[in-house]
Amino acid sequence: MKKIFLLVVCTLLALPVMAQKKKPAAAKSTPALAKAENITVEFIKNELYLFVNGKGKKDTIKLKSYTEPAKPASASITVFTAKGVKLHCISWTENTVTQTPERTEDKTITYTEIYNLASKGKAFSNAQTTTKIKEIQYLDKLKNASQTVEKNRSEGLAFTLNPNGDVNLKNKKEDKILIYNASSNIYQDSKDLKKK
């Protein structure tokens, strides 16, 4: 009798557990890397997108595709006006570290793109790479004595957005100013515009 009673109690306790339905999994929302006004930069399935939420519709601009291990580290959106036109400066960085027993390279690539979202056109694009190198250099052939050397290497042009909407691109060899040309919706070298 005790065995039957225990069997009935166990069955009654197990029924509510078996009858519960699984809750549907909530849709994963990807956190935005950057937000400004009605614009977001999001990383979804190895793709970096710029989303513009308008009146009842959502425009999408694909910024970049990535391979599996790489992805953007950070992003920013700057809203500004150049020549009376509202523009959006989208910047994002990628960081990769390459290591060997004797050398470490920490590479940061900064991408900058300027969009005129009213015309859905890209007005400017730039990429700059900064690499911090740390390596062990041996002072003799038998590798008894060594020293650690640190170097910085830059490739491309450093980007600066001026308050008036002009763009300054600079490195050791050159320094140029680009001015927004509203009629063609692109940034042009100030020297070229003065010739016209």
Side-chain angles (χ1 to χ4, degrees), residues 80-137:
F80 67 99
T81 304
K83 305 291 186 222
V85 178
K86 185 176 181 180
L87 300 173
H88 295 80
C89 178
I90 316 300
S91 295
W92 70 94
T93 59
E94 299 170 5
N95 199 300
T96 56
V97 177
T98 307
Q99 261 184 320
T100 63
E102 297 173 357
R103 184 179 173 104
T104 302
E105 287 189 14
D106 184 1
K107 183 189 289 188
T108 303
I109 304 173
T110 304
Y111 294 93
T112 306
E113 294 184 353
I114 297 176
Y115 287 91
N116 179 347
L117 295 178
S119 68
K120 299 178 184 174
K122 186 191 313 186
F124 173 80
S125 182
N126 184 57
Q128 182 199 13
T129 305
T130 305
T131 308
K132 295 178 182 175
I133 302 167
K134 187 176 184 180
E135 66 180 328
I136 298 171
Q137 292 182 344

Side-chain angles (χ1 to χ4, degrees), residues 128-195:
Q128 182 199 13
T129 305
T130 305
T131 308
K132 295 178 182 175
I133 302 167
K134 187 176 184 180
E135 66 180 328
I136 298 171
Q137 292 182 344
Y138 293 101
L139 303 174
D140 62 345
K141 291 180 182 178
L142 300 175
K143 297 185 178 182
N144 292 324
S146 66
Q147 65 181 2
T148 302
V149 177
E150 293 185 19
K151 302 182 258 187
N152 289 326
R153 182 176 65 216
S154 292
E155 299 170 29
L157 299 167
F159 169 86
T160 305
L161 181 62
N162 297 331
N164 64 352
D166 293 346
V167 168
N168 189 15
L169 297 174
K170 190 176 189 177
N171 66 10
K172 290 181 182 179
K173 295 179 181 178
E174 60 184 308
D175 184 5
K176 57 182 169 179
I177 295 176
L178 302 177
I179 299 172
Y180 181 68
N181 185 344
S183 62
S184 61
N185 191 37
I186 59 168
Y187 273 84
Q188 295 178 314
D189 196 325
S190 60
K191 293 176 187 174
D192 295 340
L193 290 174
K194 288 178 184 176
K195 289 177 186 177

